[in-house]
Amino acid sequence: MAEHTAYLSLGSNMGDREDNLRKAIELLSGNENITVSKCANIYETEPVGYDDQPYFLNTCLEVKTTLDPYSLLKVCQKIENDLHRVRIIRNGPRTIDLDILLYDDMISDDPILTLPHPRMFERAFVLCPLKDITEYTGTIPEDKSVRPVDKPYI
């Protein structure tokens, strides 16, 4: 089986935010088809899109996987469900959010999985942690609310 490199964005703003991130990373690591190879610093950020909610903690991961991108998406969605993610308000509060940002060099406009993630280049809370673990040299939108709060878990 071929090994692929994917980059994931994780965010949490409900309950014990840091523990939610840690549990999601542990669940990803516990999958026999996924190895978490890099973890960015944790950043605290203001919410985007729906303001009446707590601040988020965000990070990014590099993972090595033998899963195809749709199977990786299913694993991410199962972790969100296992950690009690509820989708009531678009961009609303959540215990955990896992997004696939990049999967190898794949480009996809599929409505189920768009790659690269369609809004990642607009979001400092994604690009700041992504820059921690990649050689990203592109522009990062100015957002003074994005501030590092912790070192990586691994």
Side-chain angles (χ1 to χ4, degrees), residues 31-57:
N31 185 297
E32 64 185 16
N33 298 303
I34 299 171
T35 301
V36 176
S37 47
K38 294 180 184 175
C39 184
N41 293 321
I42 296 172
Y43 292 78
E44 186 172 55
T45 62
E46 292 179 7
V48 172
Y50 177 74
D51 295 336
D52 188 20
Q53 59 181 323
Y55 280 28
F56 279 84
L57 289 184

Short mmCIF file of all heavy atoms in Angstrom, two decimals, residues 31-57:
data_model
loop_
_atom_site.label_atom_id
_atom_site.label_comp_id
_atom_site.label_asym_id
_atom_site.label_seq_id
_atom_site.Cartn_x
_atom_site.Cartn_y
_atom_site.Cartn_z
N ASN A 31 -5.39 4.88 14.99
CA ASN A 31 -5.82 4.21 13.77
C ASN A 31 -4.59 3.56 13.13
O ASN A 31 -3.59 4.25 12.87
CB ASN A 31 -6.47 5.21 12.82
CG ASN A 31 -7.04 4.55 11.59
OD1 ASN A 31 -6.32 3.96 10.78
ND2 ASN A 31 -8.35 4.65 11.44
N GLU A 32 -4.68 2.28 12.83
CA GLU A 32 -3.53 1.55 12.31
C GLU A 32 -3.07 2.03 10.93
O GLU A 32 -1.96 1.73 10.50
CB GLU A 32 -3.83 0.05 12.24
CG GLU A 32 -4.94 -0.31 11.29
CD GLU A 32 -5.30 -1.78 11.31
OE1 GLU A 32 -4.91 -2.48 12.26
OE2 GLU A 32 -5.98 -2.22 10.37
N ASN A 33 -3.90 2.81 10.26
CA ASN A 33 -3.57 3.29 8.93
C ASN A 33 -3.10 4.76 8.92
O ASN A 33 -2.94 5.34 7.86
CB ASN A 33 -4.79 3.17 8.01
CG ASN A 33 -5.21 1.73 7.84
OD1 ASN A 33 -4.42 0.89 7.43
ND2 ASN A 33 -6.44 1.44 8.20
N ILE A 34 -2.92 5.31 10.11
CA ILE A 34 -2.54 6.73 10.23
C ILE A 34 -1.39 6.87 11.22
O ILE A 34 -1.45 6.32 12.32
CB ILE A 34 -3.73 7.59 10.71
CG1 ILE A 34 -4.89 7.52 9.71
CG2 ILE A 34 -3.30 9.04 10.95
CD1 ILE A 34 -6.17 8.16 10.21
N THR A 35 -0.38 7.63 10.83
CA THR A 35 0.70 8.00 11.74
C THR A 35 0.76 9.52 11.78
O THR A 35 0.88 10.17 10.74
CB THR A 35 2.06 7.46 11.25
OG1 THR A 35 1.99 6.05 11.16
CG2 THR A 35 3.18 7.86 12.20
N VAL A 36 0.63 10.08 12.99
CA VAL A 36 0.77 11.53 13.14
C VAL A 36 2.27 11.81 13.19
O VAL A 36 2.96 11.40 14.11
CB VAL A 36 0.06 12.04 14.42
CG1 VAL A 36 0.30 13.52 14.62
CG2 VAL A 36 -1.44 11.73 14.36
N SER A 37 2.77 12.51 12.17
CA SER A 37 4.21 12.72 12.05
C SER A 37 4.66 14.09 12.53
O SER A 37 5.81 14.26 12.95
CB SER A 37 4.67 12.48 10.61
OG SER A 37 3.84 13.13 9.69
N LYS A 38 3.78 15.10 12.47
CA LYS A 38 4.12 16.43 12.97
C LYS A 38 2.87 17.07 13.55
O LYS A 38 1.77 16.87 13.05
CB LYS A 38 4.64 17.34 11.84
CG LYS A 38 5.96 16.92 11.26
CD LYS A 38 6.38 17.87 10.17
CE LYS A 38 7.67 17.43 9.50
NZ LYS A 38 8.00 18.32 8.36
N CYS A 39 3.10 17.88 14.60
CA CYS A 39 2.01 18.62 15.24
C CYS A 39 2.47 20.06 15.45
O CYS A 39 3.54 20.30 16.01
CB CYS A 39 1.63 17.99 16.57
SG CYS A 39 0.23 18.77 17.37
N ALA A 40 1.65 20.99 14.98
CA ALA A 40 1.97 22.42 15.11
C ALA A 40 1.73 22.91 16.53
O ALA A 40 1.13 22.21 17.36
CB ALA A 40 1.10 23.22 14.14
N ASN A 41 2.18 24.11 16.80
CA ASN A 41 1.81 24.78 18.04
C ASN A 41 0.29 24.96 18.08
O ASN A 41 -0.37 24.91 17.04
CB ASN A 41 2.48 26.15 18.13
CG ASN A 41 3.98 26.05 18.27
OD1 ASN A 41 4.50 25.20 18.96
ND2 ASN A 41 4.69 26.94 17.59
N ILE A 42 -0.22 25.24 19.25
CA ILE A 42 -1.64 25.52 19.42
C ILE A 42 -1.82 27.04 19.42
O ILE A 42 -1.04 27.77 20.04
CB ILE A 42 -2.17 24.93 20.74
CG1 ILE A 42 -2.06 23.40 20.70
CG2 ILE A 42 -3.62 25.35 20.99
CD1 ILE A 42 -2.37 22.75 22.02
N TYR A 43 -2.84 27.49 18.73
CA TYR A 43 -3.16 28.92 18.62
C TYR A 43 -4.57 29.16 19.14
O TYR A 43 -5.47 28.34 18.89
CB TYR A 43 -3.09 29.39 17.16
CG TYR A 43 -1.68 29.37 16.62
CD1 TYR A 43 -1.09 28.18 16.20
CD2 TYR A 43 -0.95 30.54 16.53
CE1 TYR A 43 0.20 28.17 15.71
CE2 TYR A 43 0.35 30.53 16.03
CZ TYR A 43 0.92 29.34 15.63
OH TYR A 43 2.20 29.32 15.14
N GLU A 44 -4.75 30.25 19.85
CA GLU A 44 -6.10 30.66 20.26
C GLU A 44 -6.57 31.73 19.30
O GLU A 44 -5.82 32.65 18.96
CB GLU A 44 -6.12 31.18 21.69
CG GLU A 44 -7.55 31.46 22.16
CD GLU A 44 -7.63 31.80 23.63
OE1 GLU A 44 -6.92 32.74 24.06
OE2 GLU A 44 -8.38 31.13 24.34
N THR A 45 -7.82 31.60 18.86
CA THR A 45 -8.34 32.52 17.84
C THR A 45 -9.79 32.89 18.12
O THR A 45 -10.55 32.11 18.70
CB THR A 45 -8.26 31.88 16.45
OG1 THR A 45 -9.07 30.72 16.41
CG2 THR A 45 -6.85 31.49 16.11
N GLU A 46 -10.15 34.07 17.66
CA GLU A 46 -11.55 34.49 17.73
C GLU A 46 -12.36 33.67 16.74
O GLU A 46 -11.84 33.23 15.71
CB GLU A 46 -11.67 35.97 17.38
CG GLU A 46 -11.07 36.90 18.39
CD GLU A 46 -11.19 38.37 18.00
OE1 GLU A 46 -11.87 38.68 17.00
OE2 GLU A 46 -10.60 39.20 18.70
N PRO A 47 -13.64 33.46 17.02
CA PRO A 47 -14.47 32.71 16.06
C PRO A 47 -14.65 33.50 14.76
O PRO A 47 -14.57 34.72 14.75
CB PRO A 47 -15.80 32.55 16.80
CG PRO A 47 -15.80 33.57 17.88
CD PRO A 47 -14.37 33.87 18.20
N VAL A 48 -14.90 32.76 13.69
CA VAL A 48 -15.12 33.35 12.37
C VAL A 48 -16.52 32.97 11.90
O VAL A 48 -16.92 31.81 11.97
CB VAL A 48 -14.07 32.84 11.36
CG1 VAL A 48 -14.39 33.29 9.95
CG2 VAL A 48 -12.68 33.28 11.77
N GLY A 49 -17.28 33.94 11.42
CA GLY A 49 -18.58 33.65 10.82
C GLY A 49 -19.75 33.75 11.78
O GLY A 49 -20.79 34.26 11.43
N TYR A 50 -19.56 33.27 12.99
CA TYR A 50 -20.61 33.34 14.02
C TYR A 50 -19.90 33.76 15.29
O TYR A 50 -19.15 32.98 15.89
CB TYR A 50 -21.31 31.98 14.17
CG TYR A 50 -22.35 31.94 15.26
CD1 TYR A 50 -23.58 32.56 15.09
CD2 TYR A 50 -22.10 31.29 16.47
CE1 TYR A 50 -24.54 32.53 16.10
CE2 TYR A 50 -23.05 31.26 17.48
CZ TYR A 50 -24.26 31.88 17.29
OH TYR A 50 -25.21 31.85 18.28
N ASP A 51 -20.10 35.01 15.71
CA ASP A 51 -19.28 35.61 16.77
C ASP A 51 -19.69 35.28 18.19
O ASP A 51 -18.89 35.39 19.11
CB ASP A 51 -19.27 37.14 16.62
CG ASP A 51 -18.59 37.57 15.33
OD1 ASP A 51 -17.77 36.81 14.81
OD2 ASP A 51 -18.90 38.68 14.86
N ASP A 52 -20.94 34.89 18.41
CA ASP A 52 -21.46 34.69 19.77
C ASP A 52 -21.08 33.30 20.28
O ASP A 52 -21.94 32.44 20.47
CB ASP A 52 -22.98 34.89 19.79
CG ASP A 52 -23.54 34.88 21.20
OD1 ASP A 52 -22.76 35.12 22.16
OD2 ASP A 52 -24.75 34.63 21.35
N GLN A 53 -19.77 33.10 20.48
CA GLN A 53 -19.26 31.81 20.95
C GLN A 53 -17.86 32.01 21.51
O GLN A 53 -17.21 33.01 21.23
CB GLN A 53 -19.27 30.77 19.83
CG GLN A 53 -18.44 31.14 18.63
CD GLN A 53 -18.50 30.09 17.54
OE1 GLN A 53 -18.54 28.89 17.82
NE2 GLN A 53 -18.52 30.53 16.29
N PRO A 54 -17.37 31.03 22.29
CA PRO A 54 -16.03 31.15 22.87
C PRO A 54 -14.93 31.11 21.81
O PRO A 54 -15.14 30.66 20.68
CB PRO A 54 -15.93 29.92 23.78
CG PRO A 54 -17.32 29.43 23.97
CD PRO A 54 -18.09 29.85 22.76
N TYR A 55 -13.73 31.57 22.20
CA TYR A 55 -12.56 31.49 21.33
C TYR A 55 -12.21 30.02 21.06
O TYR A 55 -12.51 29.14 21.86
CB TYR A 55 -11.38 32.18 21.99
CG TYR A 55 -11.40 33.68 21.86
CD1 TYR A 55 -12.58 34.40 21.74
CD2 TYR A 55 -10.21 34.39 21.87
CE1 TYR A 55 -12.57 35.79 21.62
CE2 TYR A 55 -10.19 35.77 21.76
CZ TYR A 55 -11.39 36.46 21.64
OH TYR A 55 -11.37 37.82 21.53
N PHE A 56 -11.53 29.81 19.95
CA PHE A 56 -11.10 28.48 19.55
C PHE A 56 -9.64 28.24 19.91
O PHE A 56 -8.85 29.18 19.98
CB PHE A 56 -11.21 28.32 18.02
CG PHE A 56 -12.58 28.01 17.54
CD1 PHE A 56 -13.50 29.02 17.32
CD2 PHE A 56 -12.97 26.71 17.29
CE1 PHE A 56 -14.77 28.75 16.87
CE2 PHE A 56 -14.24 26.42 16.83
CZ PHE A 56 -15.15 27.43 16.63
N LEU A 57 -9.30 26.97 20.11
CA LEU A 57 -7.92 26.52 20.05
C LEU A 57 -7.79 25.78 18.72
O LEU A 57 -8.65 24.97 18.37
CB LEU A 57 -7.56 25.59 21.21
CG LEU A 57 -7.45 26.21 22.59
CD1 LEU A 57 -6.99 25.17 23.61
CD2 LEU A 57 -6.53 27.43 22.61
#
